[in-house]
Amino acid sequence: MSAGPADAGLTVVLVKAGRTKIRYPAALVADNGTRVTVRAPWAAPGVRDFGFVRFEPGDVFTEHYWRDAWFAVKEVRTGAGELKGWYCDVTRPAVLRDGELLVEDLDLDLWVSADRSGVLRLDEDEFEESGLAGRDPEAARAAMAALDELERLARTEEGFAGLLG
């Protein structure tokens, strides 16, 4: 299945704990029926400095979402095209309907630096505090397995190339 018209628009809707965390317009790059790829500029206001990377106006995110996997992989580049790295969200499988790509964030994240020397697991404390393990143990197991798989891939020689290629 192709994306249809190049750069067709849609809205990414990121939900966390039952509430919309952020909504932003994105250009549809590709949709093969399993993976949806979109491109969007940094959508939050101002700069977000994590210490290990800064997201700022002008940055461009190429975001890959799967309908059958519990994660999203976002390639982050400066406006000039320099690769900053990959920010990975652990999510429930994405749903695309009525021009909206719905994604439920499950708190766990992984950062991989452009040179792949830095691989950081993030927000494991938030995941524990969310109570998902008690409410939905199967989803919690799937989320942890997704984070483990992302980290495993990030530490291989190929990195995410096989996943995103």
Side-chain angles (χ1 to χ4, degrees):
M1 177 188 249
S2 69
D7 291 332
L10 54 80
T11 300
V12 176
V13 181
L14 186 64
V15 176
K16 189 171 181 177
R19 296 190 344 209
T20 299
K21 182 176 170 183
I22 191 169
R23 301 172 62 90
Y24 54 92
L28 178 62
V29 174
D31 181 354
N32 68 8
T34 301
R35 184 178 80 202
V36 178
T37 301
V38 301
R39 188 166 293 121
W42 169 239
V47 173
R48 180 122 187 242
D49 189 341
F50 290 94
F52 50 86
V53 67
R54 286 171 49 101
F55 295 158
E56 50 203 336
D59 286 350
V60 177
F61 287 64
T62 301
E63 306 175 357
H64 305 272
Y65 298 93
W66 284 263
R67 291 176 172 98
D68 64 351
W70 287 70
F71 54 76
V73 176
K74 302 172 181 182
E75 179 187 273
V76 185
R77 293 184 178 270
T78 67
E82 179 184 343
L83 180 64
K84 289 186 173 187
W86 297 268
Y87 195 90
C88 306
D89 286 319
V90 173
T91 68
R92 290 185 188 269
V95 175
L96 178 60
R97 85 172 159 250
D98 301 328
E100 291 188 333
L101 186 61
L102 305 170
V103 184
E104 183 180 348
D105 185 340
L106 297 177
D107 293 309
L108 296 169
D109 301 298
L110 186 79
W111 170 254
V112 182
S113 63
D115 66 2
R116 297 196 356 241
S117 66
V119 178
L120 304 172
R121 291 170 75 108
L122 307 169
D123 303 329
E124 290 178 294
D125 54 339
E126 288 181 27
F127 178 74
E128 287 299 318
E129 292 168 10
S130 77
L132 183 65
R135 285 190 324 276
D136 190 344
E138 188 174 319
R141 280 191 297 278
M144 288 304 300
L147 183 63
D148 291 343
E149 176 66 7
L150 287 166
E151 182 178 11
R152 184 192 70 73
L153 287 171
R155 294 185 184 280
T156 65
E157 187 174 323
E158 185 178 64
F160 294 130
L163 184 65
L164 303 179

